[in-house]
């Protein structure tokens, strides 16, 4: 078994164990919040998913910069794979957000600055994936996608600081350098465990997707070689 496979298996086992611990702490260990009741438990998943989505898009930037600088296929592969996983977790963030909004605010969706900028982020990276999927093979599509991946990340700090810059129905920030709110110690502990669990899950999914993308690229190269070789052989046989 290769080192890469061992690393992926270790990450899978670790993330599964941490997820089980997170579920126990969220639904059994942590006390129910007084104002919002049981619906507040969505908070631990919502914030952790938001963190992983933003973290994934950060790696899109890293891979995109590396590709533009070095024309490294490994960097391009990192950017593409991270964008796919980031879209997954950003979608989950939006779904858990609107699910929590209904009991908290009485509506599924409101054009709150934080919700709106989060939706814009989702649309930006949806456009990124469409560009990757439909651009012609070669350097041009990767370069355009790299630029979009870098520029799109500008929306991430805007989302984080939106509750500071604008009037919003969202609660104040409770994590990060701009935090003004506070969490109970037990709630902070559960949020930390959930965030670590989802981060390990991201690392596992990223390694799996990178491995799969390498296989896809090898398959594409082999198909192109066959498609090129067959007409050439037929031409030689005809002469």
């Amino acid at each position: 078994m290769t080192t890469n496979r061992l690393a992926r298996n270790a990450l899978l086992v670790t993330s599964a164990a941490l997820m089980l611990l997170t579920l126990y702490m969220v639904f059994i260990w942590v006390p129910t919040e007084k104002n919002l009741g049981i619906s507040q438990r969505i908070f631990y998943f919502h914030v952790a998913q938001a963190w992983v989505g933003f973290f994934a898009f950060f790696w899109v930037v890293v891979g995109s910069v590396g590709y533009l600088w070095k024309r490294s296929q490994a960097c391009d592969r990192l950017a593409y794979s991270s964008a796919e996983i980031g879209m997954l977790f950003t979608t989950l963030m939006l779904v858990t957000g609107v699910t929590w909004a209904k009991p908290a605010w009485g509506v599924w969706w409101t054009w709150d600055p934080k919700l709106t900028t989060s939706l814009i982020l989702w649309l930006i990276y949806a456009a990124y994936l469409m560009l990757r999927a439909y651009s012609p093979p070669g350097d041009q599509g990767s370069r355009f996608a790299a630029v979009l991946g870098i520029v799109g990340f500008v929306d991430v700090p805007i989302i984080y600081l939106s509750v500071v810059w604008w009037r919003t129905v969202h609660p104040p920030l409770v994590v990060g350098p701009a935090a003004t709110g506070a969490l109970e110690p037990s709630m902070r502990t559960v949020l930390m465990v959930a965030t670590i669990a989802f981060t390990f899950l991201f690392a596992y999914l990223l390694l799996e997707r990178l491995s799969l993308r390498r296989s896809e690229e090898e398959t594409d190269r082999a198909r192109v070689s066959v498609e090129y070789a067959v007409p050439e052989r037929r031409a030689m046989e005809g002469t």
Side-chain angles (χ1 to χ4, degrees):
M1 186 177 291
T2 64
T3 303
N4 186 270
R5 183 71 260 177
L6 286 172
R8 282 182 279 164
N9 287 343
L11 282 172
L12 176 60
V13 171
T14 303
S15 59
L18 286 170
M19 281 294 174
L20 290 174
L21 177 61
T22 298
L23 291 172
Y24 167 78
M25 296 183 76
V26 169
F27 292 108
I28 298 176
W29 184 76
V30 71
T32 301
E33 204 270 338
K34 295 179 181 178
N35 295 322
L36 294 176
I38 195 170
S39 66
Q40 186 271 337
R41 297 178 191 274
I42 300 173
F43 161 80
Y44 305 106
F45 300 102
H46 177 67
V47 174
Q49 290 160 357
W51 151 255
V52 173
F54 298 161
F55 188 51
F57 294 143
F58 167 77
W59 284 106
V60 175
V61 174
V62 172
S64 298
V65 170
Y67 180 76
L68 292 175
W69 182 27
K70 296 288 189 178
R71 289 298 187 268
S72 166
Q73 289 302 314
C75 289
D76 187 51
R77 199 180 299 127
L78 171 65
Y80 197 170
S81 301
S82 297
E84 291 176 326
I85 300 171
M87 277 294 292
L88 169 64
F89 281 99
T90 303
T91 302
L92 291 173
M93 175 193 73
L94 291 172
V95 170
T96 53
V98 298
T99 304
W100 189 18
K102 181 60 176 177
W105 304 333
V107 293
W108 292 103
W109 182 268
T110 179
W111 293 102
D112 172 84
K114 193 155 193 170
L115 271 68
T116 304
T117 51
S118 296
L119 179 60
I120 291 171
L121 182 72
W122 188 92
L123 292 171
I124 289 171
Y125 283 96
Y128 175 95
L129 294 181
M130 291 179 67
L131 178 60
R132 299 303 303 250
Y134 295 107
S135 60
D139 179 67
Q140 187 179 55
S142 296
R143 284 190 288 112
F144 288 167
V147 173
L148 180 58
I150 294 169
V151 173
F153 190 76
V154 173
D155 193 38
V156 170
I158 295 175
I159 294 171
Y160 177 73
L161 294 170
S162 60
V163 297
V164 177
W165 292 343
W166 300 295
R167 294 181 62 183
T168 173
V169 295
H170 259 81
L173 296 171
V174 294
V175 292
T180 56
L183 288 174
E184 293 292 331
S186 60
M187 296 174 67
R188 189 183 306 113
T189 300
V190 177
L191 179 60
M192 183 184 304
V193 172
T195 302
I196 293 171
F198 276 94
T199 303
F200 269 88
L201 178 60
F202 163 73
Y204 167 72
L205 292 175
L206 181 59
L207 287 182
E208 288 287 356
R209 192 66 187 98
L210 287 170
S211 177
L212 181 58
R213 189 160 297 285
R214 280 192 294 268
S215 299
E216 291 172 351
E217 291 172 357
E218 291 170 2
T219 302
D220 289 341
R221 284 193 295 268
R223 186 177 65 249
V224 170
S225 298
V226 170
E227 291 174 351
Y228 175 79
V230 169
E232 186 178 63
R233 187 173 65 249
R234 287 176 177 172
M236 293 177 64
E237 291 173 352
T239 60

